[in-house]
Amino acid sequence: MAFSFSRLSALLPLLGLAACQAAPPPALALVSHEYGYEMPASVPAGLVRITLRNEGRDVHEGLIISFTDPRGSAAAYVDSV
Protein backbone atom coordinates (compact mmCIF):
# COMPACT_ATOMS: atom_id res chain seq x y z
CA MET A 1 0.00 0.00 0.00
CA ALA A 2 1.50 3.32 -1.05
CA PHE A 3 1.16 6.46 1.07
CA SER A 4 0.95 9.87 -0.47
CA PHE A 5 2.75 12.76 1.20
CA SER A 6 -0.58 14.37 2.17
CA ARG A 7 -1.68 11.20 3.98
CA LEU A 8 1.66 10.95 5.76
CA SER A 9 1.59 14.60 6.84
CA ALA A 10 -1.93 14.07 8.22
CA LEU A 11 -0.54 11.32 10.47
CA LEU A 12 2.29 13.42 11.93
CA PRO A 13 0.18 15.18 14.61
CA LEU A 14 -1.25 11.82 15.68
CA LEU A 15 2.28 10.53 16.17
CA GLY A 16 3.31 13.62 18.15
CA LEU A 17 5.55 14.86 15.36
CA ALA A 18 5.50 18.32 13.82
CA ALA A 19 5.91 18.88 10.11
CA CYS A 20 9.37 20.17 9.20
CA GLN A 21 9.02 23.87 8.46
CA ALA A 22 11.89 26.29 8.63
CA ALA A 23 11.26 29.50 10.51
CA PRO A 24 11.51 32.62 8.35
CA PRO A 25 14.78 34.52 8.69
CA PRO A 26 14.82 37.64 10.87
CA ALA A 27 14.01 40.89 9.09
CA LEU A 28 16.26 43.92 8.74
CA ALA A 29 14.31 47.00 7.65
CA LEU A 30 16.21 50.00 6.23
CA VAL A 31 14.37 53.28 5.55
CA SER A 32 15.89 55.98 3.37
CA HIS A 33 15.09 59.70 3.54
CA GLU A 34 16.65 62.72 1.96
CA TYR A 35 20.12 63.00 3.51
CA GLY A 36 19.90 59.94 5.74
CA TYR A 37 18.88 56.37 6.58
CA GLU A 38 17.17 54.70 9.52
CA MET A 39 18.44 51.28 10.54
CA PRO A 40 19.09 49.21 13.66
CA ALA A 41 22.44 49.48 15.43
CA SER A 42 23.22 45.79 14.87
CA VAL A 43 22.27 42.89 12.62
CA PRO A 44 21.74 39.30 13.76
CA ALA A 45 24.24 36.75 12.49
CA GLY A 46 23.21 34.37 9.74
CA LEU A 47 20.56 34.58 7.07
CA VAL A 48 18.60 37.87 7.22
CA ARG A 49 15.81 39.23 5.01
CA ILE A 50 16.73 42.82 4.10
CA THR A 51 14.27 45.44 2.86
CA LEU A 52 14.97 49.04 1.83
CA ARG A 53 12.00 51.41 1.78
CA ASN A 54 12.53 54.77 0.11
CA GLU A 55 10.56 57.51 1.87
CA GLY A 56 12.39 60.30 0.07
CA ARG A 57 11.74 61.97 -3.26
CA ASP A 58 15.14 61.11 -4.75
CA VAL A 59 16.37 57.64 -5.69
CA HIS A 60 18.25 55.97 -2.81
CA GLU A 61 20.47 52.91 -2.81
CA GLY A 62 21.91 50.62 -0.16
CA LEU A 63 25.17 48.69 0.01
CA ILE A 64 25.67 45.76 2.36
CA ILE A 65 29.26 45.13 3.47
CA SER A 66 30.59 42.32 5.61
CA PHE A 67 33.79 43.01 7.54
CA THR A 68 35.66 39.72 7.81
CA ASP A 69 38.62 41.25 9.60
CA PRO A 70 37.77 41.93 13.27
CA ARG A 71 39.76 45.16 13.04
CA GLY A 72 37.59 46.37 10.15
CA SER A 73 35.34 49.35 10.62
CA ALA A 74 33.12 51.57 8.54
CA ALA A 75 35.68 54.38 8.81
CA ALA A 76 38.46 52.10 7.49
CA TYR A 77 36.22 51.04 4.61
CA VAL A 78 35.39 54.63 3.67
CA ASP A 79 39.09 55.53 3.75
CA SER A 80 39.89 52.62 1.41
CA VAL A 81 37.51 53.56 -1.40
Side-chain angles (χ1 to χ4, degrees):
M1 179 175 174
F3 279 93
S4 69
F5 181 74
S6 60
R7 287 185 185 173
L8 181 59
S9 62
L11 291 175
L12 291 176
L14 299 174
L15 299 173
L17 303 172
C20 295
Q21 294 181 355
L28 171 64
L30 309 172
V31 181
S32 62
H33 302 278
E34 307 311 346
Y35 313 108
Y37 292 86
E38 294 175 24
M39 64 192 76
S42 63
V43 178
L47 183 64
V48 177
R49 181 174 184 260
I50 301 170
T51 58
L52 172 61
R53 187 175 71 240
N54 184 5
E55 292 187 353
R57 292 183 180 173
D58 294 331
V59 174
H60 291 81
E61 299 176 7
L63 178 65
I64 308 300
I65 301 169
S66 175
F67 296 111
T68 55
D69 183 347
R71 297 172 298 178
S73 68
Y77 172 76
V78 169
D79 290 342
S80 71
V81 291

Coordinates of all heavy atoms in Angstrom, one line a residue:
M1 N 0.8 -1.2 0.0 CA 0.0 0.0 0.0 C 0.9 1.2 0.0 O 1.8 1.4 0.8 CB -0.9 0.0 1.2 CG -1.8 1.2 1.4 SD -2.9 0.9 2.8 CE -3.6 2.4 2.8
A2 N 0.7 2.1 -0.9 CA 1.5 3.3 -1.1 C 0.8 4.5 -0.3 O -0.4 4.6 -0.4 CB 1.7 3.7 -2.5
F3 N 1.7 5.3 0.4 CA 1.2 6.5 1.1 C 1.5 7.7 0.3 O 2.7 7.8 -0.2 CB 1.8 6.6 2.5 CG 1.1 5.7 3.5 CD1 1.6 4.5 3.8 CD2 0.0 6.2 4.2 CE1 1.0 3.7 4.7 CE2 -0.6 5.4 5.1 CZ -0.1 4.1 5.4
S4 N 0.6 8.6 0.1 CA 0.9 9.9 -0.5 C 1.5 10.8 0.6 O 1.3 10.5 1.8 CB -0.3 10.5 -1.1 OG -1.2 10.9 -0.1
F5 N 2.2 11.8 0.2 CA 2.7 12.8 1.2 C 1.7 13.4 2.0 O 1.8 13.6 3.2 CB 3.6 13.8 0.5 CG 4.2 14.8 1.4 CD1 5.3 14.4 2.2 CD2 3.7 16.1 1.6 CE1 5.9 15.3 3.1 CE2 4.3 17.0 2.5 CZ 5.3 16.6 3.2
S6 N 0.5 13.7 1.4 CA -0.6 14.4 2.2 C -1.1 13.4 3.2 O -1.5 13.9 4.3 CB -1.7 14.8 1.2 OG -2.2 13.7 0.5
R7 N -1.2 12.2 3.0 CA -1.7 11.2 4.0 C -0.6 11.1 5.1 O -1.0 11.0 6.3 CB -1.9 9.8 3.4 CG -3.1 9.8 2.5 CD -3.3 8.4 2.0 NE -4.5 8.3 1.1 CZ -4.8 7.3 0.4 NH1 -4.1 6.2 0.5 NH2 -5.8 7.3 -0.4
L8 N 0.6 11.1 4.7 CA 1.7 10.9 5.8 C 1.7 12.2 6.6 O 1.8 12.1 7.9 CB 3.0 10.7 5.1 CG 4.2 10.6 6.0 CD1 4.0 9.4 6.9 CD2 5.5 10.4 5.2
S9 N 1.6 13.4 6.0 CA 1.6 14.6 6.8 C 0.4 14.7 7.7 O 0.4 15.3 8.8 CB 1.7 15.8 5.9 OG 0.6 15.9 5.1
A10 N -0.7 14.1 7.4 CA -1.9 14.1 8.2 C -1.7 13.2 9.4 O -2.3 13.4 10.5 CB -3.1 13.6 7.4
L11 N -0.8 12.2 9.3 CA -0.5 11.3 10.5 C 0.5 11.9 11.5 O 0.5 11.5 12.6 CB 0.0 10.0 10.0 CG -1.0 9.1 9.2 CD1 -0.2 7.9 8.6 CD2 -2.1 8.7 10.1
L12 N 1.3 12.9 11.1 CA 2.3 13.4 11.9 C 1.8 13.9 13.3 O 2.3 13.6 14.3 CB 3.1 14.5 11.2 CG 4.0 14.0 10.1 CD1 4.6 15.2 9.4 CD2 5.0 13.0 10.5
P13 N 0.7 14.7 13.3 CA 0.2 15.2 14.6 C -0.3 14.0 15.5 O -0.1 14.1 16.7 CB -1.0 16.1 14.3 CG -0.8 16.5 12.9 CD 0.0 15.4 12.2
L14 N -0.8 13.0 14.9 CA -1.3 11.8 15.7 C -0.1 11.1 16.3 O -0.2 10.5 17.4 CB -2.0 10.8 14.8 CG -3.3 11.4 14.2 CD1 -3.9 10.4 13.2 CD2 -4.3 11.8 15.3
L15 N 1.1 11.2 15.7 CA 2.3 10.5 16.2 C 3.1 11.4 17.1 O 4.1 11.1 17.6 CB 3.2 10.1 15.0 CG 2.5 9.1 14.0 CD1 3.4 8.9 12.8 CD2 2.3 7.8 14.8
G16 N 2.6 12.7 17.3 CA 3.3 13.6 18.1 C 4.5 14.3 17.4 O 5.4 14.8 18.1
L17 N 4.5 14.3 16.1 CA 5.5 14.9 15.4 C 5.0 16.1 14.6 O 3.9 16.1 14.2 CB 6.1 13.9 14.3 CG 6.6 12.5 14.9 CD1 6.9 11.6 13.7 CD2 7.8 12.8 15.7
A18 N 5.9 17.1 14.6 CA 5.5 18.3 13.8 C 6.1 18.2 12.4 O 7.1 17.6 12.2 CB 6.0 19.6 14.5
A19 N 5.4 18.8 11.5 CA 5.9 18.9 10.1 C 7.2 19.8 10.1 O 7.3 20.7 10.9 CB 4.9 19.5 9.2
C20 N 8.1 19.4 9.3 CA 9.4 20.2 9.2 C 9.1 21.5 8.4 O 8.9 21.4 7.2 CB 10.5 19.3 8.5 SG 10.9 17.9 9.5
Q21 N 9.2 22.6 9.1 CA 9.0 23.9 8.5 C 10.1 24.8 9.0 O 10.2 25.0 10.3 CB 7.6 24.5 8.7 CG 6.5 23.7 8.0 CD 5.2 24.3 8.3 OE1 5.0 25.3 9.0 NE2 4.2 23.8 7.6
A22 N 10.8 25.4 8.2 CA 11.9 26.3 8.6 C 11.3 27.6 9.0 O 10.3 28.1 8.4 CB 12.9 26.5 7.5
A23 N 11.7 28.2 10.1 CA 11.3 29.5 10.5 C 11.8 30.6 9.5 O 12.9 30.4 9.0 CB 11.8 29.8 11.9
P24 N 11.0 31.6 9.3 CA 11.5 32.6 8.4 C 12.7 33.3 9.0 O 12.8 33.5 10.2 CB 10.3 33.6 8.2 CG 9.4 33.3 9.4 CD 9.7 31.9 9.8
P25 N 13.6 33.8 8.1 CA 14.8 34.5 8.7 C 14.4 35.8 9.3 O 13.3 36.4 9.0 CB 15.7 34.8 7.5 CG 14.7 34.7 6.3 CD 13.6 33.8 6.7
P26 N 15.2 36.3 10.3 CA 14.8 37.6 10.9 C 14.9 38.7 9.8 O 15.6 38.6 8.8 CB 15.9 37.8 11.9 CG 17.0 36.9 11.6 CD 16.4 35.8 10.8
A27 N 14.1 39.8 10.1 CA 14.0 40.9 9.1 C 14.9 42.1 9.5 O 15.0 42.3 10.7 CB 12.6 41.4 9.0
L28 N 15.5 42.7 8.5 CA 16.3 43.9 8.7 C 15.7 45.0 7.8 O 15.7 44.9 6.6 CB 17.7 43.7 8.4 CG 18.6 44.9 8.3 CD1 18.7 45.6 9.7 CD2 20.0 44.6 7.8
A29 N 15.0 46.0 8.4 CA 14.3 47.0 7.6 C 15.2 48.3 7.6 O 15.6 48.8 8.7 CB 13.0 47.3 8.2
L30 N 15.5 48.7 6.4 CA 16.2 50.0 6.2 C 15.2 51.0 5.6 O 14.5 50.7 4.7 CB 17.4 49.8 5.3 CG 18.4 48.7 5.7 CD1 19.4 48.5 4.6 CD2 19.0 48.9 7.0
V31 N 15.2 52.2 6.1 CA 14.4 53.3 5.6 C 15.3 54.4 5.1 O 16.1 54.9 5.9 CB 13.3 53.8 6.6 CG1 12.4 54.8 6.0 CG2 12.5 52.6 7.1
S32 N 15.1 54.9 3.9 CA 15.9 56.0 3.4 C 15.0 57.2 3.3 O 13.8 57.2 3.0 CB 16.4 55.6 2.0 OG 15.4 55.4 1.1
H33 N 15.7 58.4 3.6 CA 15.1 59.7 3.5 C 16.1 60.6 2.8 O 17.2 60.2 2.5 CB 14.9 60.3 5.0 CG 14.1 59.5 5.9 ND1 12.7 59.5 5.8 CD2 14.4 58.6 6.8 CE1 12.2 58.7 6.7 NE2 13.2 58.1 7.4
E34 N 15.7 61.8 2.5 CA 16.6 62.7 2.0 C 17.7 63.0 3.0 O 17.4 63.2 4.2 CB 16.0 64.0 1.6 CG 14.8 64.0 0.7 CD 14.9 63.1 -0.5 OE1 16.0 62.7 -0.9 OE2 13.9 62.8 -1.1
Y35 N 18.9 62.7 2.7 CA 20.1 63.0 3.5 C 20.2 62.1 4.7 O 20.8 62.4 5.7 CB 20.1 64.5 4.0 CG 19.9 65.4 2.9 CD1 18.7 66.1 2.8 CD2 20.8 65.6 1.9 CE1 18.4 67.0 1.8 CE2 20.6 66.5 0.9 CZ 19.4 67.2 0.8 OH 19.1 68.1 -0.2
G36 N 19.7 60.8 4.6 CA 19.9 59.9 5.7 C 19.2 58.6 5.6 O 18.3 58.4 4.7
Y37 N 19.5 57.7 6.5 CA 18.9 56.4 6.6 C 18.5 56.1 8.0 O 19.2 56.5 8.9 CB 19.9 55.3 6.1 CG 20.2 55.4 4.6 CD1 21.2 56.2 4.1 CD2 19.5 54.6 3.7 CE1 21.5 56.3 2.8 CE2 19.8 54.7 2.3 CZ 20.8 55.5 1.9 OH 21.0 55.6 0.6
E38 N 17.5 55.2 8.2 CA 17.2 54.7 9.5 C 17.5 53.2 9.5 O 17.1 52.5 8.5 CB 15.7 54.9 9.8 CG 15.3 56.3 10.0 CD 13.8 56.4 10.2 OE1 13.1 55.5 10.6 OE2 13.2 57.5 9.9
M39 N 18.1 52.7 10.5 CA 18.4 51.3 10.5 C 18.8 50.9 12.0 O 19.2 51.8 12.8 CB 19.6 50.9 9.6 CG 20.9 51.6 10.0 SD 22.2 51.4 8.7 CE 21.6 52.6 7.5
P40 N 18.7 49.6 12.3 CA 19.1 49.2 13.7 C 20.6 49.3 13.8 O 21.4 49.3 12.9 CB 18.6 47.8 13.8 CG 18.4 47.3 12.4 CD 18.2 48.5 11.5
A41 N 21.0 49.4 15.1 CA 22.4 49.5 15.4 C 23.2 48.2 15.2 O 24.4 48.2 15.0 CB 22.6 49.9 16.9
S42 N 22.5 47.1 15.1 CA 23.2 45.8 14.9 C 22.3 44.9 14.0 O 21.1 45.1 13.9 CB 23.6 45.1 16.2 OG 22.4 44.8 16.9
V43 N 23.0 43.8 13.5 CA 22.3 42.9 12.6 C 22.5 41.5 13.2 O 23.7 41.2 13.5 CB 22.8 43.0 11.2 CG1 22.2 42.0 10.3 CG2 22.7 44.4 10.6
P44 N 21.5 40.6 13.3 CA 21.7 39.3 13.8 C 22.6 38.5 12.8 O 22.6 38.8 11.6 CB 20.3 38.7 13.8 CG 19.5 39.5 13.0 CD 20.1 40.9 12.9
A45 N 23.4 37.6 13.3 CA 24.2 36.7 12.5 C 23.4 35.8 11.7 O 22.3 35.4 12.1 CB 25.2 36.0 13.4
G46 N 23.9 35.4 10.6 CA 23.2 34.4 9.7 C 22.4 35.0 8.6 O 22.5 36.1 8.3
L47 N 21.4 34.2 8.1 CA 20.6 34.6 7.1 C 19.6 35.6 7.6 O 19.0 35.5 8.6 CB 19.8 33.4 6.6 CG 18.9 33.6 5.4 CD1 19.7 34.0 4.1 CD2 18.1 32.3 5.1
V48 N 19.5 36.8 6.8 CA 18.6 37.9 7.2 C 17.9 38.4 6.0 O 18.5 38.5 4.9 CB 19.4 39.0 7.8 CG1 18.6 40.2 8.2 CG2 20.2 38.6 9.1
R49 N 16.6 38.7 6.1 CA 15.8 39.2 5.0 C 15.9 40.8 5.1 O 15.5 41.3 6.1 CB 14.4 38.8 5.1 CG 13.5 39.3 4.0 CD 12.1 38.8 4.0 NE 11.4 39.2 2.9 CZ 10.5 40.2 2.9 NH1 10.3 40.9 4.0 NH2 9.8 40.6 1.8
I50 N 16.5 41.4 4.1 CA 16.7 42.8 4.1 C 15.7 43.5 3.2 O 15.5 43.1 2.0 CB 18.2 43.1 3.7 CG1 19.2 42.4 4.6 CG2 18.4 44.6 3.6 CD1 20.6 42.5 4.1
T51 N 15.1 44.6 3.7 CA 14.3 45.4 2.9 C 14.8 46.9 3.0 O 15.2 47.3 4.0 CB 12.8 45.4 3.3 OG1 12.7 45.8 4.7 CG2 12.2 44.0 3.1
L52 N 14.6 47.6 1.9 CA 15.0 49.0 1.8 C 13.7 49.8 1.3 O 13.3 49.5 0.2 CB 16.2 49.3 0.9 CG 16.5 50.8 0.6 CD1 16.9 51.5 1.9 CD2 17.6 50.9 -0.4
R53 N 13.2 50.6 2.2 CA 12.0 51.4 1.8 C 12.4 52.9 1.6 O 13.0 53.5 2.5 CB 10.9 51.3 2.9 CG 9.6 52.0 2.4 CD 8.5 51.8 3.4 NE 8.7 52.5 4.6 CZ 8.9 52.0 5.9 NH1 8.8 50.7 6.0 NH2 9.1 52.8 6.9
N54 N 12.2 53.4 0.4 CA 12.5 54.8 0.1 C 11.4 55.7 0.5 O 10.3 55.6 -0.1 CB 12.9 54.9 -1.4 CG 13.4 56.3 -1.7 OD1 13.5 57.1 -0.9 ND2 13.6 56.5 -3.0
E55 N 11.6 56.5 1.5 CA 10.6 57.5 1.9 C 11.0 58.9 1.4 O 10.3 59.9 1.8 CB 10.3 57.5 3.4 CG 9.7 56.2 3.8 CD 9.3 56.2 5.3 OE1 9.6 57.1 6.0 OE2 8.6 55.2 5.7
G56 N 12.0 59.0 0.6 CA 12.4 60.3 0.1 C 11.9 60.5 -1.3 O 11.2 59.6 -1.9
R57 N 12.2 61.7 -1.9 CA 11.7 62.0 -3.3 C 12.8 61.5 -4.3 O 12.5 61.2 -5.4 CB 11.5 63.5 -3.4 CG 10.3 63.9 -2.6 CD 10.1 65.4 -2.9 NE 8.9 65.8 -2.1 CZ 8.5 67.1 -2.0 NH1 9.2 68.0 -2.6 NH2 7.4 67.4 -1.3
D58 N 14.1 61.5 -3.9 CA 15.1 61.1 -4.7 C 15.3 59.6 -4.7 O 14.8 58.9 -3.8 CB 16.5 61.8 -4.3 CG 16.4 63.3 -4.5 OD1 15.7 63.7 -5.4 OD2 17.1 64.0 -3.8
V59 N 16.0 59.1 -5.7 CA 16.4 57.6 -5.7 C 17.4 57.4 -4.6 O 18.4 58.2 -4.5 CB 16.9 57.2 -7.1 CG1 17.4 55.8 -7.1 CG2 15.8 57.4 -8.1
H60 N 17.3 56.3 -3.8 CA 18.2 56.0 -2.8 C 18.7 54.5 -3.0 O 17.9 53.7 -3.6 CB 17.6 56.1 -1.4 CG 17.4 57.5 -1.0 ND1 16.3 58.2 -1.4 CD2 18.1 58.4 -0.3 CE1 16.3 59.4 -0.9 NE2 17.4 59.6 -0.2
E61 N 19.9 54.2 -2.7 CA 20.5 52.9 -2.8 C 21.1 52.5 -1.5 O 21.4 53.3 -0.6 CB 21.6 52.9 -3.9 CG 21.1 53.3 -5.2 CD 22.2 53.3 -6.2 OE1 23.4 52.9 -5.9 OE2 22.0 53.8 -7.4
G62 N 21.3 51.1 -1.3 CA 21.9 50.6 -0.2 C 23.0 49.7 -0.6 O 23.0 49.0 -1.6
L63 N 24.0 49.6 0.2 CA 25.2 48.7 0.0 C 25.4 47.9 1.3 O 25.6 48.5 2.4 CB 26.4 49.5 -0.4 CG 27.7 48.7 -0.6 CD1 27.6 47.8 -1.8 CD2 28.8 49.7 -0.8
I64 N 25.4 46.6 1.2 CA 25.7 45.8 2.4 C 27.1 45.3 2.3 O 27.6 44.7 1.3 CB 24.7 44.5 2.4 CG1 23.3 45.0 2.2 CG2 24.9 43.7 3.6 CD1 22.8 45.9 3.3
I65 N 27.9 45.5 3.4 CA 29.3 45.1 3.5 C 29.5 44.3 4.7 O 29.0 44.5 5.8 CB 30.2 46.4 3.6 CG1 29.9 47.3 2.4 CG2 31.6 46.0 3.7 CD1 30.6 48.6 2.5
S66 N 30.2 43.2 4.5 CA 30.6 42.3 5.6 C 32.1 42.5 5.9 O 32.9 42.3 5.0 CB 30.3 40.9 5.2 OG 30.8 40.0 6.3
F67 N 32.4 42.9 7.1 CA 33.8 43.0 7.5 C 34.3 41.7 8.1 O 33.8 41.2 9.1 CB 33.9 44.1 8.6 CG 33.6 45.5 8.1 CD1 32.4 46.1 8.6 CD2 34.4 46.1 7.2 CE1 32.1 47.4 8.2 CE2 34.0 47.4 6.8 CZ 32.9 48.0 7.3
T68 N 35.2 41.0 7.4 CA 35.7 39.7 7.8 C 36.8 39.9 8.8 O 37.2 38.9 9.5 CB 36.1 38.8 6.6 OG1 37.0 39.6 5.8 CG2 34.8 38.5 5.8
D69 N 37.5 41.0 8.7 CA 38.6 41.2 9.6 C 38.1 41.9 10.9 O 37.4 42.9 10.8 CB 39.6 42.2 8.9 CG 40.8 42.5 9.7 OD1 40.9 42.2 10.9 OD2 41.8 43.0 9.2
P70 N 38.3 41.4 12.0 CA 37.8 41.9 13.3 C 38.2 43.4 13.5 O 37.6 44.1 14.3 CB 38.3 41.0 14.4 CG 39.4 40.2 13.8 CD 39.2 40.2 12.3
R71 N 39.3 43.8 12.9 CA 39.8 45.2 13.0 C 39.1 46.1 12.1 O 39.3 47.3 12.1 CB 41.3 45.2 12.8 CG 42.1 44.4 13.9 CD 43.5 44.4 13.5 NE 43.6 43.7 12.2 CZ 44.7 43.5 11.6 NH1 45.8 43.9 12.0 NH2 44.7 42.8 10.4
G72 N 38.3 45.5 11.2 CA 37.6 46.4 10.2 C 36.6 47.3 10.8 O 36.0 47.0 11.8
S73 N 36.4 48.4 10.1 CA 35.3 49.4 10.6 C 34.8 50.1 9.4 O 35.4 50.1 8.3 CB 35.9 50.3 11.6 OG 36.9 51.2 11.0
A74 N 33.7 50.8 9.6 CA 33.1 51.6 8.5 C 34.1 52.7 8.1 O 34.2 53.0 7.0 CB 31.8 52.1 9.0
A75 N 34.7 53.3 9.1 CA 35.7 54.4 8.8 C 36.8 53.9 8.0 O 37.3 54.5 7.0 CB 36.2 55.0 10.1
A76 N 37.4 52.7 8.3 CA 38.5 52.1 7.5 C 38.0 51.8 6.1 O 38.7 52.0 5.1 CB 39.0 50.8 8.2
Y77 N 36.7 51.3 5.9 CA 36.2 51.0 4.6 C 36.1 52.3 3.8 O 36.5 52.4 2.6 CB 34.9 50.4 4.7 CG 34.2 50.2 3.3 CD1 34.6 49.2 2.4 CD2 33.2 51.1 2.9 CE1 34.1 49.1 1.2 CE2 32.6 51.0 1.7 CZ 33.1 50.0 0.8 OH 32.5 49.9 -0.4
V78 N 35.6 53.4 4.4 CA 35.4 54.6 3.7 C 36.7 55.2 3.3 O 36.9 55.7 2.1 CB 34.6 55.6 4.6 CG1 34.7 57.0 4.0 CG2 33.2 55.2 4.8
D79 N 37.7 55.1 4.1 CA 39.1 55.5 3.8 C 39.7 54.7 2.6 O 40.6 55.2 1.9 CB 40.0 55.5 5.0 CG 39.7 56.5 6.0 OD1 38.9 57.5 5.7 OD2 40.1 56.3 7.2
S80 N 39.3 53.5 2.4 CA 39.9 52.6 1.4 C 39.3 52.8 0.0 O 39.9 52.4 -1.0 CB 39.8 51.2 1.8 OG 38.5 50.7 1.7
V81 N 38.1 53.4 -0.1 CA 37.5 53.6 -1.4 C 37.6 55.0 -1.9 O 37.8 55.9 -1.3 CB 36.0 53.1 -1.4 CG1 36.0 51.6 -1.2 CG2 35.2 53.8 -0.4

